[in-house]
Amino acid sequence: MDSRIDEIATQIKNLEDELMIELRKKQDEFFYTLEDKKVKFQESVIKEGRSKIISSIKYLSSFPVLAVLTIPFIWSMMIPALMVDIFVTIYQSVCFPIYKIPKVKRKDYVVMDRYNLFYLDRVEKINCWYCEYFNGVIGYTREIAARTEQFWCPIKHSKPQMDMHSRYEKFFDFGDFETYRKELNERRSDFKDLQEETEATKS
């Protein structure tokens, strides 16, 4: 059973790699390149995109009035998001070296690039900045929580989850107390795959 689960997990990883390759092909389709980790669009594309920008008032007027009135509620969520960002960063900086868990790279999750796109008006830029930051922090926090869970409580749930985090495949099956007691110390420190990824990135 475990070998079949490992096989499926490998297939998922291969599909994710294949997806990244396909996404990189979009660079050619939309006329941009990456130079020193910065996106460079062709000048002709930038000119055409800017010519089609709509005004912020026109953009906002395309939404129902009630939707526009929810904006203060949306932005109030930046306070807890900022607090979570700060506290989980401090948490992993203090605790992960003690647990001997590889730290999560914040820059891999909090990616701030869309808000600078040349074809967005000011309100769209602000919206993009908010969404990429907020969702990035959620992803960053989830990965920190996943690695923490692997160390302290690597046991699967009794019911299937809608969306499993990145460490879930390494957890013990629900109710398998014999394997849990036998392999707990080994499983909770099994972060070799992360170390291999780090080494591969460096090379």
Side-chain angles (χ1 to χ4, degrees):
M1 183 66 178
D2 285 346
S3 61
R4 178 59 183 153
I5 292 171
D6 290 341
E7 183 184 335
I8 294 170
T10 301
Q11 288 174 356
I12 292 171
K13 182 68 171 64
N14 290 337
L15 285 171
E16 287 174 348
D17 292 340
E18 189 177 333
L19 175 62
M20 289 306 297
I21 291 169
E22 291 301 316
L23 288 173
R24 289 191 186 103
K25 290 179 182 177
K26 290 290 182 182
Q27 294 180 14
D28 296 329
E29 185 178 340
F30 293 106
F31 307 101
Y32 71 87
T33 57
L34 287 173
E35 298 176 14
D36 296 326
K37 298 183 179 179
K38 291 184 179 180
V39 177
K40 297 282 187 181
F41 282 92
Q42 293 180 12
E43 283 297 325
S44 59
V45 175
I46 294 174
K47 188 175 181 180
E48 184 181 355
R50 284 178 176 164
S51 70
K52 295 179 180 177
I53 292 176
I54 60 173
S55 68
S56 296
I57 293 174
K58 190 174 181 181
Y59 172 73
L60 287 173
S61 65
S62 66
F63 296 97
V65 174
L66 287 177
V68 175
L69 292 176
T70 64
I71 291 174
F73 293 96
I74 295 170
W75 277 93
S76 68
M77 295 304 296
M78 280 299 291
I79 298 170
L82 258 171
M83 295 295 290
V84 167
D85 192 1
I86 292 167
F87 275 92
V88 297
T89 299
I90 294 171
Y91 159 71
Q92 78 156 347
S93 296
V94 173
C95 298
F96 275 20
I98 296 170
Y99 304 152
K100 295 181 180 175
I101 298 175
K103 289 181 185 176
V104 179
K105 291 182 181 178
R106 185 178 177 278
K107 66 179 181 180
D108 289 344
Y109 294 87
V110 185
V111 180
M112 309 293 288
D113 58 358
R114 298 183 315 197
Y115 76 98
N116 267 328
L117 281 167
F118 57 89
Y119 52 84
L120 303 178
D121 74 78
R122 287 180 184 176
V123 175
E124 289 174 316
K125 285 176 183 284
I126 292 169
N127 286 346
C128 272
W129 186 91
Y130 173 93
C131 290
E132 59 191 355
Y133 175 75
F134 199 103
N135 284 289
V137 168
I138 296 297
Y140 171 59
T141 302
R142 190 186 193 203
E143 183 61 21
I144 290 173
R147 297 183 191 187
T148 301
E149 188 178 19
Q150 182 179 339
F151 183 84
W152 287 107
C153 188
I155 300 172
K156 294 176 182 174
H157 293 282
S158 59
K159 298 177 182 178
Q161 291 182 292
M162 287 293 292
D163 183 24
M164 297 178 291
H165 60 62
S166 67
R167 311 307 300 166
Y168 198 74
E169 66 184 73
K170 294 187 174 292
F171 288 16
F172 296 101
D173 290 324
F174 187 89
D176 186 2
F177 64 90
E178 290 186 355
T179 310
Y180 177 79
R181 287 300 170 202
K182 191 187 302 181
E183 299 179 12
L184 178 59
N185 288 334
E186 179 185 345
R187 197 79 65 95
R188 71 179 357 158
S189 60
D190 183 10
F191 293 98
K192 290 191 290 291
D193 57 313
L194 296 175
Q195 291 158 351
E196 287 169 2
E197 280 181 19
T198 302
E199 289 170 6
T201 304
K202 287 180 180 177
S203 60

